[in-house]
Amino acid sequence: MHVFKATIDSEIMKETIEAISALVTECRLHTDDNGISARAVDTANVAMISLTLGKQAFKSYEASPGEIGIDIAKIKNVFGMAGSKDSLSLLLPDTVQKLQISFGSYHYSVTLLDTNTIRKDPNPPSIQLPGKVVIAGADLYEAIKAASIVSDKISFRIDPEAQIFEMRADGDTDQIDKVFSKEDVKDIIFVKARSMFSLDYLKDMGKVMGKADLVEIYLGTDHPVRFSFPIAGGAGHVEYLLAPRIEAE
Amino acid sequence: MHVFKATIDSEIMKETIEAISALVTECRLHTDDNGISARAVDTANVAMISLTLGKQAFKSYEASPGEIGIDIAKIKNVFGMAGSKDSLSLLLPDTVQKLQISFGSYHYSVTLLDTNTIRKDPNPPSIQLPGKVVIAGADLYEAIKAASIVSDKISFRIDPEAQIFEMRADGDTDQIDKVFSKEDVKDIIFVKARSMFSLDYLKDMGKVMGKADLVEIYLGTDHPVRFSFPIAGGAGHVEYLLAPRIEAE
Amino acid sequence: MHVFKATIDSEIMKETIEAISALVTECRLHTDDNGISARAVDTANVAMISLTLGKQAFKSYEASPGEIGIDIAKIKNVFGMAGSKDSLSLLLPDTVQKLQISFGSYHYSVTLLDTNTIRKDPNPPSIQLPGKVVIAGADLYEAIKAASIVSDKISFRIDPEAQIFEMRADGDTDQIDKVFSKEDVKDIIFVKARSMFSLDYLKDMGKVMGKADLVEIYLGTDHPVRFSFPIAGGAGHVEYLLAPRIEAE
């Protein structure tokens, strides 16, 4: 029997669901004694999320190993009704395929998805991404928004010679670039790297990453990018992996 | 000749018109020496409003018995132009079918509807609703919004045995309920009662009731619900009556 | 070779572009040693703008006489990315038809329009408008918004006998008027004048003028209206000229 019974600040649960909803509309939440986790890939196989939310993020937590099939849009609506200071109680009852969510004097009972109908969890690919930059999440999101004015793609580049990290978008007629020197970033590993990405995906991810103090960006050349950042004040963690777009010369 | 000449805080007049506009797009305002009043039923005959705004709600007031045909949407636009601290002057001139509205240095002249073309005022039905709950308007509106996430109808129930008042919505797959014990309400009469209502109507009414400190709810079983609450800081009063939805078992 | 190299507060540049975008979607910016200027007429030949922004509005300024073809919508998007405290650097490079815009660590490069494809600058008509009122920009904009509730046109009238300035809109059924006495305005020249204007144009202009402390309004009878007001804290200046609508009696 799958046991899941937990209490958590509503804001932490909202932040967790936001991170997932940037990529997928349904997912499989795994529970075990250490906390909850999810790994999912978007329908176009372009972006992947790996998320963990440790037991310590919860006010109370009790769970056996198992899976919960979540309709992300529906659960967002329910959590959206909770005030920012509400505590959410989550309970998987014995008998039915439902998740009971309570806060204040409210009790929701949400039918779960059959986990067999949800796409299989992806395996994390093993790729070497030697370049690394650590910047403020707000700076990253701002650059993504700025780039979308002129184009639908953006390139990330580490230039060891110029000693810079550059985000750059080239539109049909216009271009924009944002350059970070060593002083503008928290940390940087100067390995030559350059890849281009679709802004479609980055805009949704960027909204989530914009709330993180610092985001680690791992880069290669014509390789995926990996973004890594904490959620829930450090009690949880998200990794986004995004495939590159091939540049037509 | 119909005399109507009054001055009133713009916020009170806006609140009054809001309460009416939750149900109808035009109505007949009655005036007499005691104040103004309106009674109207929506086009589907499902909901009724009875509203009074006493003379004491006005800064100055002079009126003979008579009727004024109001286009609610248009008058909302005009009142919407007034600042929250403006005083509105309302005047029915002798010669034309218009209402003159002034505030600041503005003068509006709004053509009135022919009261013969407006649906006849309904008679208030005499119904016994033995159950009663008095709760905060904000709590009522919140429960209505929460219910609309999972369904298009909501049931109100007083359970004398469990000593609770419950609002509950059952959707196709999900459900939500909000339970009030005796401590959560201002007052309650524990008579067994349970009726179900359309959220379509309740959402608009709820927005108005959400601003009232306290709303009296009168309930029966498979009977209409009556909401009763003050407006204009007690100088006015609104009653909404809403027919039940029959439950298909 | 056309030299243009300047630094300016982002808010001043946004204000300048807003004023132009009320009338046209593209325009020719003229530069010379004194500052920048533009004159444009809308596609329907109903409204004209003359704008100057003096050298003193800039933090640094260097320009030779020349023209820059601007896509207003595009440049608004770029300026919109700049924070309210950012300083914008504008630079016309030697070699390409682009304007380089930098702020913070961002660098935009925007392709310019070929000035030959932009409509020729209009000549300012010489017209006598003997009536004059000076009122708060906020009052003017509010009256324009109020008038649009009842009609699509508004008349401006100076009445020397009644000693008033009146803005009035007559709809099919309703009307509104706003009357200014000598005490309500900053200045007024009591010459009999009355003209009617399309609110379509005035709404966009009004949004810009609403931010000006004072707007000078020059009026005749069945003649255009001229609005004159400062921008950039007095370092710049805008004139709008709007043709009258002929009244059908």
Side-chain angles (χ1 to χ4, degrees), chain B residues 74 98 105 107-109 111, chain C residues 143 173-178:
Chain B
K74 192 197 286 178
K98 294 191 179 242
S105 51
H107 304 283
Y108 277 87
S109 172
T111 297
Chain C
T173 58
D174 307 329
Q175 61 171 239
I176 171 177
D177 68 292
K178 183 168 169 97

Side-chain angles (χ1 to χ4, degrees), chain B residues 10-30:
Chain B
S10 69
E11 289 302 297
I12 296 182
M13 211 57 214
K14 286 180 194 176
E15 190 185 0
T16 303
I17 293 298
E18 280 300 330
I20 301 174
S21 80
L23 293 199
V24 290
T25 58
E26 51 184 48
C27 88
R28 202 181 273 109
L29 278 189
H30 299 270

Side-chain angles (χ1 to χ4, degrees), chain B residues 23 25 33 44 47 61 65 139 161 164 179 193 198 246:
Chain B
L23 293 199
T25 58
D33 192 43
Y61 185 86
D139 283 350
E161 281 165 42
I164 56 160
V179 171
S198 162
I246 302 310

Side-chain angles (χ1 to χ4, degrees), chain B residues 23-24 47 53 55-56 73 85 88 94 123 139 143 152-153 156 158 163 181 194 204 233 239 247:
Chain B
L23 293 199
V24 290
L53 188 65
K55 193 179 183 166
Q56 67 273 30
K85 287 180 182 158
L88 299 176
D94 298 359
N123 290 318
D139 283 350
D152 61 352
K153 51 190 195 294
F156 286 22
I158 297 174
Q163 293 272 303
S181 68
R194 183 178 184 287
D204 290 338
E239 275 193 15
E247 295 178 73

Side-chain angles (χ1 to χ4, degrees), chain A residues 2-8 13 17 27 29 31 36 58 61-63 67-72 74-76 78-79 88-103 106-113, chain B residues 150 173-177:
Chain A
H2 186 192
V3 173
F4 178 61
K5 191 177 168 183
T7 320
I8 189 166
M13 211 57 216
I17 294 297
C27 88
L29 277 189
T31 69
I36 64 175
F58 294 81
Y61 184 85
E62 194 190 335
E67 296 176 353
I68 303 175
I70 298 285
D71 179 328
I72 299 287
K74 193 197 284 179
I75 214 104
K76 262 176 82 168
V78 174
F79 291 164
L88 299 177
S89 291
L90 308 171
L91 173 67
L92 215 56
D94 297 359
T95 48
V96 285
Q97 268 298 93
K98 293 192 178 242
L99 179 65
Q100 291 180 354
I101 304 166
S102 307
F103 48 91
Y106 285 101
H107 305 282
Y108 278 87
S109 172
V110 177
T111 297
L112 298 175
L113 301 179
Chain B
V150 302
T173 58
D174 308 329
Q175 61 171 238
I176 170 177
D177 68 292

Side-chain angles (χ1 to χ4, degrees), chain C residues 89-102:
Chain C
S89 291
L90 307 172
L91 173 68
L92 214 56
D94 297 1
T95 49
V96 283
Q97 268 298 94
K98 293 190 179 244
L99 180 65
Q100 290 179 354
I101 304 167
S102 306

Side-chain angles (χ1 to χ4, degrees), chain C residues 19-63:
Chain C
I20 300 174
S21 80
L23 292 198
V24 291
T25 57
E26 51 184 51
C27 88
R28 201 182 274 108
L29 277 189
H30 300 269
T31 69
D32 64 22
D33 192 43
N34 298 316
I36 64 175
S37 64
R39 176 170 288 147
V41 67
D42 83 295
T43 46
N45 288 315
V46 171
M48 184 192 296
I49 180 174
S50 304
L51 176 146
T52 57
L53 187 65
K55 193 180 182 166
Q56 68 274 29
F58 294 81
K59 290 181 167 179
S60 74
Y61 185 86
E62 193 190 337

